Amino acid sequence: MRQVLEAGLPALGLDTAAIPALERFAEMLLQRNRVMNLTAITEPRDVAALHLLDSLALISLAGLEDGSAVDVGTGAGFPGLPLAIVRPRLQVTLLDSLGKRVGFLREVCETLGVTNAECVQGRAEEFAAERREVYDWAVSRAVAALPVLCELCLPLVRVGGCFLAMKSSHTEAEIEQAGGAVRILGGRIAWIRDYTIPTTEVVHRVVCVEKVAGTPKKYPRRFAQMKKTPL
Ligand code: SAM
């Protein structure tokens, strides 16, 4: 794990000072994963690359120095918790509908002394009533197809902010299908970038949707409706 992080962080333009905290997070994840379903990735070096470095690749693409970010469907904390660890001036909301996962994240934040992350149990489509158009960034990985994901995430982003969707590299059709949703919800695809996760040959993709106008009040709809009739 350490070797992967020692090689991978500088490759992303990041300092290695965060390694002890990242390692501790990974240890807690693997330990808790024995009794709770948190991740299918169980080799420490794979956790380092496919979870930690993959999450941190967002920084090399988008900076995320400061401001506020919400990680929608964070699960075991990806990508939001590694971002909070290496970006102490970024205020991160880790949002997930599953209470057990959020409870685990609270424990990790407390153990590591991470004070710039807030762990919230809730559904994104309901959370939008509370935190509508306030975040500089929304980020999300492996939660839903892009048209639905845009409806979950874009209402949370302020005009001028961005939603960063982490996707696999074979998503041309999905991105095309999301064109209508992006427009209706007040977004514009600003850029799409592929990256190779350092120390691996795995190529992933980030779609950056800039918020250029307010999201109409009737969105987000209920989740069942989003799934049944995606925008
Ligand atoms: N983002 C993490 C990752 O990449 O490892 C977790 C991905 S996991 C496959 C999807 C997560 O999204 C689950 O933890 C689930 O509870 C959460 N989720 C799904 N729909 C959601 C919603 N509408 N609001 C909040 N969380 C949601």
Side-chain angles (χ1 to χ4, degrees):
M1 155 122 35
R2 182 161 283 247
Q3 280 173 339
V4 171
L5 293 175
E6 276 173 352
L9 291 174
L12 294 172
L14 293 168
D15 201 90
T16 52
I19 287 180
L22 293 169
E23 276 184 328
R24 185 77 186 101
F25 170 31
E27 279 165 19
M28 289 181 76
L29 172 71
L30 290 175
Q31 198 173 28
R32 190 59 55 86
N33 200 43
R34 296 194 198 121
V35 292
M36 188 194 287
N37 179 20
L38 289 170
T39 177
I41 296 170
T42 53
E43 275 298 319
R45 80 174 75 86
D46 294 338
V47 171
L50 302 177
H51 278 326
L52 298 173
L53 295 179
D54 189 35
S55 298
L56 294 171
L58 272 187
I59 288 180
S60 66
L61 296 171
L64 296 155
E65 279 282 349
D66 50 24
S68 58
V70 56
D71 180 6
V72 172
T74 188
F78 304 107
L81 189 45
L83 296 178
I85 290 171
V86 306
R87 285 291 194 244
R89 288 191 291 126
L90 184 71
Q91 294 299 320
V92 181
T93 301
L94 302 171
L95 177 70
D96 203 280
S97 52
L98 288 183
K100 281 189 176 174
R101 291 182 177 171
V102 174
F104 165 72
L105 293 173
R106 284 202 186 103
E107 276 179 50
V108 176
C109 289
E110 208 172 296
T111 304
L112 299 183
V114 172
T115 53
N116 59 320
E118 169 197 29
C119 305
V120 178
Q121 181 193 359
R123 298 199 60 89
E125 62 274 27
E126 291 163 9
F127 193 58
E130 218 177 291
R131 303 266 180 100
R132 195 174 181 85
E133 302 194 322
V134 299
Y135 288 96
D136 299 309
W137 312 90
V139 298
S140 192
R141 187 183 82 159
V143 173
L146 201 53
V148 170
L149 200 56
C150 282
E151 193 167 344
L152 292 175
C153 294
L154 277 172
L156 299 168
V157 179
R158 68 167 172 83
V159 174
C162 285
F163 162 41
L164 302 168
M166 302 182 78
K167 288 282 163 189
S168 77
S169 56
H170 305 289
T171 42
E172 283 77 12
E174 185 182 333
I175 294 168
E176 201 171 309
Q177 278 159 15
V182 167
R183 239 186 348 269
I184 291 168
L185 297 163
R188 175 186 76 94
I189 294 184
W191 48 261
I192 299 169
R193 286 188 197 136
D194 289 357
Y195 61 94
T196 304
I197 300 173
T199 75
T200 77
E201 290 179 1
V202 177
V203 178
H204 281 171
R205 171 172 291 174
V206 173
V207 181
C208 173
V209 183
E210 189 188 352
K211 187 87 176 259
V212 291
T215 298
K217 286 280 178 289
K218 62 177 170 179
Y219 304 111
R221 298 165 295 165
R222 290 203 317 273
F223 193 69
Q225 203 181 348
M226 277 183 224
K227 291 273 280 185
K228 196 168 155 224
T229 49
L231 292 173

